[in-house]
Amino acid sequence: MAPTLELLEEPAGNLPVKAVSAIRNGNSADDLKLESPEKHQRVMNVFRAFIADICQQYGEGHAGSPMGMAAIGIALWKYVMKYSPNNCNYFNRDRFVLSNGHACLWQYLFLHLVGVKSMTLEQLKSYHSTKLDSVCPGHPEIENEGIEVTTGPLGQGLANAVGLAMATKNLAATYNKPGHEVVNNMTWCMVGDACIQEGVGLEALSLAGHWRLNNLCVIFDNNSVTCDGTADVANTEDINTKMRATGYNVVDVYNGDSDVAAIVNALVAARSSDKPTFINIRTTIGFGSALAGTADVHGAALGVDEVANVKRSFGLNPDEHFHIPQDVYDFFSDIPGRGEAHEASWQAALVKYHEEDPVLAAEFELRVMGKLPEDWSKCIPRKEEQPTASTASRKSAGVITNALGQNINSFLVGTADLTPSVNVAYKNKVDFQSPELRTACGLNGNYSGRYIHYGIREHAMCAISNGLAAFNKGTFIPMTSTYFVFHLYAAAAVRMAALQGLQQIHIATHDSIGVGENGPTHQPVAVAALYRAMPNVLYIRPCDAEEVAGAYIAAIQATETPTIISLSRQGLTQYPQYSSREGTLKGAYVFVEDNDFDVTLIGVGSEMGFAMQTRELLFKEHGIKSRVVSFPCIRLFEQQSREYKHSVLKPRAGKPTVVIEAYPSYGWERYADASVSMNSFGKSLPSKEIYEHYGFSPESIAPKVKDLVEEVRRDGIEILRGDFRDFNGGLRIGLEH
Amino acid sequence: MAPTLELLEEPAGNLPVKAVSAIRNGNSADDLKLESPEKHQRVMNVFRAFIADICQQYGEGHAGSPMGMAAIGIALWKYVMKYSPNNCNYFNRDRFVLSNGHACLWQYLFLHLVGVKSMTLEQLKSYHSTKLDSVCPGHPEIENEGIEVTTGPLGQGLANAVGLAMATKNLAATYNKPGHEVVNNMTWCMVGDACIQEGVGLEALSLAGHWRLNNLCVIFDNNSVTCDGTADVANTEDINTKMRATGYNVVDVYNGDSDVAAIVNALVAARSSDKPTFINIRTTIGFGSALAGTADVHGAALGVDEVANVKRSFGLNPDEHFHIPQDVYDFFSDIPGRGEAHEASWQAALVKYHEEDPVLAAEFELRVMGKLPEDWSKCIPRKEEQPTASTASRKSAGVITNALGQNINSFLVGTADLTPSVNVAYKNKVDFQSPELRTACGLNGNYSGRYIHYGIREHAMCAISNGLAAFNKGTFIPMTSTYFVFHLYAAAAVRMAALQGLQQIHIATHDSIGVGENGPTHQPVAVAALYRAMPNVLYIRPCDAEEVAGAYIAAIQATETPTIISLSRQGLTQYPQYSSREGTLKGAYVFVEDNDFDVTLIGVGSEMGFAMQTRELLFKEHGIKSRVVSFPCIRLFEQQSREYKHSVLKPRAGKPTVVIEAYPSYGWERYADASVSMNSFGKSLPSKEIYEHYGFSPESIAPKVKDLVEEVRRDGIEILRGDFRDFNGGLRIGLEH
């Protein structure tokens, strides 16, 4: 098969026409004009000594992998990658992900050598220092030039890289036209042993193989050492065979410590592969040191004497520290110019593209700017279009997801194999698939498809979504979908999205115990607390279709924040008189006011019905007057003014507040004095019966609220201070018997 | 290689000597006296019709897989598995795990047919009904007879099965003596497509292959259909090759719908494999229905007409419902007797074993009873043995972990490749490894080893630990270790432990932002909230070595609860005058009392030092008197009496309470009026500097507390009602810029 990706124009610099042709045609790198092995050795010596120096200054940091990966870095930054040091964010650049993020010094030093201006010598030396917001933090961070994604938690970067490669495929299939390729970059992903042991990495590898992402190259730094010693201590599988079975072209490099040419050869071949490529490169951790090949150099400095020995063995002056001779800078001096040429040729291609198809070009340019078409709001039903009959919120959400998915190319809608349950499949959807699979297994899809079957891989779904979102912020808004309980599988990836400010929308259906018969394994008691406490996450539990509309508006407006929209399986009473998207955007609002109230009831998501029914019963049976507050999102509420908060909660009125939610009360103490909540995992019972079993019914709630109201009337509100009342009992230890 | 596992005695029943010999020698099953194919067909027809009936009664449930797996069930329950329906908990039984837990009806019906008494017809019919605590919940639950582990969240069961197989290996290597095999059971694990797509399943498969757990047989119900349609939609890898590369013997069965003999053959071969076995069985989901082979029968009833059609096509009366003819019962009637014989032979072996080695036998019997030797408390340092100089709590914990690991066979100590950092490796530890790897890769270990290198696989580590703990409750107390932030990777497994009441101890080091230079990816802001809100989990953050001792005592005493002990990387001031293990066991206690106090400061874990220093500064600079409360565990505190709680918190004193912890304040509102807490992810800075940056220093805290104290003096404590003060600001959306 012909390579999908080609260089647009011959780059400037020292790559001759023959080399460009070699890359274009996927031939070997023999034609590339490589510098001499001696020159490479010289650069690697200086590189390795510098790494040793940096870690030595504070006696810590990760020296081993950066030293081991020196030759790989030369192959990538000097010869193979397409990028522009003067504009690291140039749209059509190759993406590079360091999934073994602890090796970040390696990347930092190459960024310095190739001329990325923010990566000064001083910055390099600030690694592990007390410098605030160093561009050389302990793991790579997306905020800094030349870093595509924040990595560190292992396996995440690999999954991100799959997302980055998908992004290219999808944009290319959507916008490229014959003779006009405006997106055709490669994604290079460096991994260590850990990334291919971690489940999230394995899930992502399977998907990339399935999708035949031939623009992805996974580069395995196979140094055979992990923190615990030899990698064999926990892994003895035949990785090459496994990767071939997973759909990869596998290439071996046996001397990854110094054979730059062999690495270049393998990398260049990856550009013309018909499958994703896995390059298995044998390296020596801590190469050059007496501790080379041992776990002792993984996460530690070498020691003063050993640093000196390393330099001596390399023929360098042991008394020179942090020294990069001019000839090493010169070695990389052509890169900025080549990068500018890459960028210029892309800009030129864009101009021609605009002439060819101004409409498509305008849309493409909007996406390059990371902007959503303004008419996204047309996908949100107007208040008067909302249903009035009982409707599951997963269905109300489906209406919006489907409209967004169908109409706006920025939305990639995925599911972890729950299409029949999560209501995200839209009419005439096209699956994201390799067109080759159409013949191989009769699948109907291609790379322009924006409906993504992730399989039963929730963690990779969310981690890949991070890559999609990070391709160029705003170009894609990935949507994922699964049952809310399974967002626990994906928690580490959602956290990485929050940490990086990556916008995405997670459709989390089957929330609360109302999911019913599937039982406690599927009832997400306690999952909400994680996301409510997590910085920069919006966790929104709408109570009806109108609040669902508000949730989507909040999610789309939060351009630097992942949002989880938490939805019911079961039908929910609609409250067109009371519910409001504007209120939802404020996080909480007065649902039903009563100036002469005895108690405030907080209703949340699918438990709003119990609040409203309890209000009715309390008045009918006991003459107790309740006001009701809807509280779909704690985080949004916390952004409001103190005055607004007080107007909603009336904390000074001397009246109690009771929250009703089928999760543990943990965290609601800020707003309420008592709760009807869950103190255990659930049970396998139909929705109605399980709610009743756990005391979620007006008949069960009303008497408890009545007692509380009477107690407060008698003794004053102060009695509740320090005595939060879990009406259903608090969380315990041990199983209930 | 000779099979490790052999039947102890010839079982009674219809298995002739030849069959036993076949099993023992790992020959084919040709010698087994199988019933005729026609008889099998008859049983399967009745079985499948019954499944269709059950799902039809409430119009829901999972019918497809149970119908497809009928032949597999006959092979397992009628011919191959060693178990005793009259005593499902007989110690040396084969373990069976239904990792595709949604197919539970299949298991329930076989348990009924083989005579498990609690599994009545009436119970079977209660599947998806309103019956409380049905033994037929929507997914299998460990509480019920014949269920080894609760399954449902996909991939978990497979990892549990690896743990169960490890448990056997470890017990066998520890206690079996030549001629005296007291533990030699097999573990059979049924998986669907999902379990081998999920990362946790893939991690566990890699480990079982590495460990050469030849007593594990993974049975793949390869029906090629998932919720989204053909499994090809998200997975097209060559699974057999992949499994071989991962260290498995792979056996194909091509007609899994009816070829009972072929399945028996494959299963029997697994008993004598030198590696774990992966049986790839092609089945048809919903076999017998017109919808067979489609996703429509995955999670749905067939419809009244189609149920009738199924019965007609099987030659059954469509008007008979839930009907199991006597001849089908008769088919399984030998099982209880055979089971009793298995058990009797084990009991007899135990008697002989006791005669041979009474000391070892006594220890073994204690473990069979699930009891820990009482001298475990000797592993906990006495108060007077505790350090007084600054000590990282990971080090204080290491002292105890090491003693437990070294001295008590019940403890299996594992790490996700962080041996150098988590301080759990004990002197003279023996690794759990296949002895064959000693020659293959020079590893030093065997199956009696109790130090487990899980590799970089946190999720599998915890899910496998669930299997270890579930082998026979109390026989093992698994310990895991990694950085606390990576317990987020494992969250779904920890949740399953809590749900099942499985005791285990998770050593979670590098908690809080004090982890330092590794940066925000490694600083577990927000992870604690998950575990504090999760039912039946103890999350304990000790402030010094004495509290660490208390944490271990709590963890060991909580026999139905997983415990996470959350520990610092950095050195912590020791408070021998104030800290107390008894106080720790109560969750919170008065650290420093002052009856004339102005403010209560709550110190938590590694942030206790800031509370104590602030107390000093407040008095010195402002004459403000503070009492200090140590609060290592919210859950334990919640178990205390109201009187005790009030004595610690003094909520009625009219004085403010401030909590100091480097996590978000979410959840502390129950006990405090204000917080010094984290409102964002962290940064890459050394421990001291990052604390200072986020306002964790007495100089930063004291003025804020002073202002609060003055405000309360002026306006009364009521002003704080509904106005929790996050001194560092609340959680926001968007990134900080």
Side-chain angles (χ1 to χ4, degrees), chain A residues 484-514:
Chain A
F484 182 43
V485 76
F486 298 129
H487 280 101
L488 203 52
Y489 274 70
V494 176
R495 179 175 178 275
M496 289 304 292
L499 178 55
Q500 297 177 76
L502 299 175
Q503 183 177 21
Q504 49 196 230
I505 303 177
H506 300 291
I507 308 297
T509 69
H510 295 58
D511 75 349
S512 172
I513 57 173

Side-chain angles (χ1 to χ4, degrees), chain B residues 130-160:
Chain B
T130 61
K131 183 177 170 62
L132 183 65
D133 294 327
S134 158
V135 305
C136 296
H139 289 85
E141 295 182 10
I142 192 172
E143 289 83 2
N144 299 319
E145 274 197 299
I147 307 298
E148 301 293 352
V149 283
T150 300
T151 55
L154 295 161
Q156 298 290 334
L158 174 51
N160 300 161

Side-chain angles (χ1 to χ4, degrees), chain A residues 104-341:
Chain A
C104 54
L105 255 188
W106 173 81
Q107 186 170 6
Y108 299 156
L109 185 46
F110 276 111
L111 291 177
H112 172 73
L113 292 171
V114 303
V116 171
K117 295 214 172 51
S118 59
M119 188 57 77
T120 61
L121 258 187
E122 189 198 11
Q123 283 283 358
L124 277 172
K125 287 159 76 173
S126 73
Y127 173 76
H128 272 237
S129 79
T130 60
K131 182 177 172 63
L132 183 64
D133 295 326
S134 158
V135 306
C136 296
H139 289 85
E141 297 183 9
I142 193 171
E143 289 82 3
N144 299 321
E145 273 197 299
I147 307 298
E148 301 293 352
V149 284
T150 300
T151 56
L154 295 161
Q156 298 290 336
L158 175 51
N160 300 161
V162 173
L164 289 165
M166 284 177 76
T168 298
K169 282 286 186 200
N170 180 258
L171 289 171
T174 307
Y175 296 105
N176 285 354
K177 308 188 71 138
H180 296 274
E181 291 204 347
V182 285
V183 191
N184 61 5
N185 68 295
M186 280 289 287
T187 297
W188 311 95
C189 181
M190 195 80 227
V191 300
D193 275 291
C195 297
I196 55 176
Q197 291 187 19
E198 289 282 10
V200 62
L202 297 174
E203 292 178 4
L205 283 172
S206 286
L207 280 168
H210 169 73
W211 287 323
R212 306 199 180 190
L213 299 178
N214 66 342
N215 58 338
L216 174 70
C217 178
V218 178
I219 308 162
F220 177 28
D221 175 36
N222 186 354
N223 62 29
S224 296
V225 169
T226 68
C227 292
D228 278 12
T230 163
D232 283 348
V233 83
N235 206 41
T236 44
E237 64 196 10
D238 174 354
I239 183 67
N240 281 1
T241 302
K242 186 173 163 182
M243 291 306 299
R244 280 192 198 97
T246 311
Y248 287 70
N249 275 332
V250 174
V251 183
D252 282 301
V253 173
Y254 294 99
N255 175 10
D257 291 326
S258 57
D259 192 348
V260 173
I263 301 170
V264 169
N265 216 19
L267 294 170
V268 166
R271 282 202 185 269
S272 58
S273 169
D274 58 347
K275 303 173 181 177
T277 297
F278 181 81
I279 309 183
N280 184 343
I281 308 185
R282 280 66 164 189
T283 65
T284 305
I285 193 169
F287 183 90
S289 140
L291 299 167
T294 74
D296 294 336
V297 283
H298 169 81
L302 303 179
V304 175
D305 293 345
E306 187 50 29
V307 171
N309 286 336
V310 164
K311 289 182 193 169
R312 269 186 222 104
S313 78
F314 287 156
L316 301 172
N317 180 350
D319 299 324
E320 280 183 333
H321 298 285
F322 312 112
H323 183 56
I324 301 175
Q326 189 55 43
D327 66 302
V328 172
Y329 282 121
D330 290 347
F331 178 80
F332 293 101
S333 61
D334 60 316
I335 308 289
R338 260 167 54 198
E340 283 173 6

Side-chain angles (χ1 to χ4, degrees), chain A residues 50 65 89 115 155 181 278 284 289 303 339 353 441 448 531 545 569 667 696:
Chain A
F50 191 95
S65 297
N89 291 328
E181 291 204 347
F278 181 81
T284 305
S289 140
Y353 181 67
C441 8
S448 79
Y531 292 114
R569 174 192 182 216
F696 290 87

